[in-house]
Each structure stands twice: as C-alpha cells, then as structure tokens.
Amino acid sequence: MLDFLWYPLAFLFALSAMILPTAIIFGITMPFIGVLVRYRANYIPKRVQLPGEDVAREDRSSDSYFGMFKRVHRLEGWAGLYKGIMPSIVCTFIMVVAVTPVLAVLSLTHKVLPTGNVYMFADGYVPALVSYGLATIPVLLLIPMQIIINRAITTPHRLGAFAPKDALHVLLSPAERAKPLRLYLTPGVALIVLLAGIIAPTVNLAWTLVAPRLPHAAWRLPLVGVALPMILLTTALLTPLEVMLARLTLQRLGEAEPAPAVPAGEEVMEFRIEQAPYTSLLDCARTMVREEGARVLFRAWWLTALGVAVPFLLPPAIMNK
C-alpha cells in the first residue's frame, strides 16, 4: 500500500545524499569561481595621459587572475572568497531536480557493453538533440539564479548566508524584485547562454564523429593535429561570451534604490556605473573593446581552454547504432 511513497522517498534520499558532496565540491571550487567572475567583471578603462600630466602609478594588481585572487583575500579574507556559495548550492539542486528526469529517460536508450563502450538504441540524432537540450534549456531557465550568483560574488556588501530576503534586497533593483521575470530580459544574457549551449555540444559532437576515424595507434598525433585546433577555436568563441556574461549579469534593470552603506575602504573591483549601460550583446562587445581594449574579452582564456579540453583528453566511448 505504501509503494507509491517509494519513489518520492528515494528521490529525497538521493537529494539529501548530495548535500555533503556538493558542499565539499563548492568548498574547494568556489574561491576559484568567485575570483574568475570578479576578474572578468572588473572594469579597467584605458587611461590616456596628457603631455606634462603627473599621474600616480595605477594599481594593476587586479589585472590578472592570480592578482585578483590575492586582492580578494587581502581585502575581504576567506569570507570574500566564498561569496556566492549559498545561491550556487541552491542553483545546483534546482539543476539536479530539472535535469534528473531527462537523464533517467535518456538512460533507457543505451546500454554499456562489456568492452566499456556505450551502445545507443536510439538514432544517433536523438542523443545529439538531448545534449543540445541539456546544454541550453536548464541554463536558460536558471538565468535569474546566474544573475543572483554573479551579483552575490561581486557585491561589496556582506550578505547573510541565511537571510535571503535581505540579500535579494541588495542584489536586485526595485523593478526586478517587483517583477522577477524581468531578469530574463537582461540585455544579452539569454543570447549568450543560448550561443554557449550551441557551441559546446556542436564541438563535442564533431569530435565524437571525427575521433573514431583517427588511427588509434597514433592517438597522440591526432590529438594534437585535430583536437588542438578545435579546442583553440572553441576557446576563442566561448571566452568572450563568458566575459560579457559576467558584465551583463551585473546590470540592474530599472531605477536602483540606494543600497546599504558599504564600510569605507579599498574596493576589490571597479564597477562600470557612470557610463551608459550596455544595450545588447553586440553593444557590450563594441563598448568593451573601445573602452578597455580587445584583450579584456579574453580574460582567463586558459581556464576556459582547460574546461573545453576535458572531452578531448579521453578516447570516444560512444558507438552509434
């Protein structure tokens, strides 16, 4: 009679079992993620020095990833390095709840062979379509959470870990709090998520199709000759999108009311608040190049490259029907 309770109880048990591993993962990675967001969002306009003008030496310590890491730790300590961890954990659980049913259905379409390969019962196009869906739909739905996470990481205010109402009052403008769905209309954000969700699966699909046709005996040579150009191309496409995402998610919609006073002192990063806001993805790219130089669009490109390279480091294990 209680069989109908088994599935929701099993789901809750599995969800609770994820709490400790998720906390450990974020405990290790959150400082690096937070520094990456701050580094990419940091506004450093080009400085023009007039003839005869005596200009003090600028502090460029935040103009590198590790320089930003040291700066955050020096000014805010370990608490600053873990800013944004609570909304990140919440976002992860929402993602699991949204994606798990899809993965459960997908698991019915394949079986693992004794060799370790994966045999797909469904047509080869089905897994590809599912991969595109998994790469775009959940992230599109979680755009508000991504905006809140990035603002929680970069805010100069100290937010309570268990005071979501006060935190949202600081992170969102009155217009955004009144109509949270307006966060989906933040210029350029949805388009960036959609483009990134198309680029990554497309490259992975291309590698899945190309890799089995490469000579297995000389695996290292094809890896360098074929995978490296694909990794570099994907990195060149994704890095500017990720940098602009960090910038655009910090733009508040509507009139922003005065936030609580920040303790006096040196700020970790500079915000772009005195200039006209970005109006679109293209406007953001043009404005960043004009105000800060093209180099800013490729901040921490090597971290993006490391993430992109992971699928290329392993031989393909999928064998289509």
Side-chain angles (χ1 to χ4, degrees):
M1 294 179 61
L2 297 180
D3 289 347
F4 69 94
L5 293 177
W6 167 250
Y7 292 104
L9 289 176
F11 177 77
L12 291 176
F13 178 78
L15 197 62
S16 62
M18 290 180 56
I19 294 178
L20 182 59
T22 302
I24 294 175
I25 291 172
F26 277 111
I28 297 172
T29 62
M30 196 65 214
F32 302 98
I33 296 173
V35 170
L36 179 62
V37 172
R38 294 202 203 206
Y39 173 50
R40 286 175 166 172
N42 191 31
Y43 179 63
I44 306 180
K46 291 185 285 189
R47 179 74 167 87
V48 178
Q49 182 176 355
L50 300 176
E53 183 182 9
D54 184 15
V55 180
R57 185 178 181 182
E58 297 183 42
D59 183 5
R60 309 293 292 186
S61 62
S62 61
D63 200 15
S64 70
Y65 177 82
F66 293 105
M68 177 61 78
F69 198 108
K70 294 178 182 178
R71 185 178 178 85
V72 173
H73 186 263
R74 175 172 62 86
L75 296 177
E76 296 186 350
W78 286 103
L81 291 172
Y82 281 95
K83 278 186 174 180
I85 189 171
M86 289 304 294
S88 297
I89 293 175
V90 172
C91 182
T92 300
F93 284 122
I94 295 176
M95 180 77 77
V96 169
V97 172
V99 174
T100 298
V102 180
L103 294 178
V105 173
L106 183 62
S107 66
L108 300 177
T109 65
H110 73 274
K111 68 177 181 179
V112 180
L113 300 178
T115 59
N117 291 340
V118 179
Y119 183 86
M120 306 299 298
F121 295 110
D123 194 309
Y125 292 103
V126 174
L129 292 175
V130 172
S131 66
Y132 280 109
L134 291 176
T136 55
I137 296 176
V139 186
L140 281 171
L141 295 175
L142 292 173
I143 282 177
M145 287 302 303
Q146 183 63 61
I147 292 174
I148 290 173
I149 290 170
N150 285 1
R151 294 183 185 180
I153 289 172
T154 57
T155 181
H157 305 287
R158 291 184 178 273
L159 304 177
F162 301 99
K165 185 176 181 180
D166 295 337
L168 293 177
H169 185 81
V170 172
L171 300 177
L172 303 180
S173 68
E176 292 168 340
R177 294 199 303 273
K179 297 180 179 180
L181 292 180
R182 290 189 61 180
L183 293 173
Y184 287 103
L185 302 179
T186 303
V189 173
L191 180 57
I192 290 176
V193 171
L194 183 62
L195 290 175
I198 293 175
I199 292 172
T202 299
V203 174
N204 291 338
L205 178 61
W207 176 245
T208 302
L209 296 175
V210 171
R213 293 166 174 79
L214 299 176
H216 183 70
W219 181 255
R220 294 183 181 275
L221 182 60
L223 178 63
V224 176
V226 179
L228 185 59
M230 297 177 70
I231 293 173
L232 294 178
L233 175 60
T234 308
T235 301
L237 294 174
L238 288 180
T239 304
L241 293 177
E242 293 173 352
V243 172
M244 288 187 284
L245 181 65
R247 293 293 182 89
L248 291 168
T249 51
L250 302 188
Q251 267 191 181
R252 294 156 64 103
L253 300 175
E255 293 294 329
E257 64 185 17
V262 182
E266 186 179 359
E267 293 188 5
V268 172
M269 55 175 285
E270 294 293 331
F271 294 89
R272 186 179 179 275
I273 54 178
E274 298 181 357
Q275 295 75 15
Y278 306 120
T279 58
S280 65
L281 176 60
L282 184 59
D283 175 67
C284 179
R286 289 174 174 173
T287 304
M288 290 180 68
V289 172
R290 184 179 66 252
E291 295 180 349
E292 304 172 73
R295 177 173 168 266
V296 70
L297 291 174
F298 294 93
R299 284 181 175 174
W301 64 267
W302 49 276
L303 284 174
T304 300
L306 289 175
V308 169
V310 171
F312 296 88
L313 299 178
L314 299 174
I318 296 181
M319 183 172 61
N320 292 326
K321 182 177 180 180

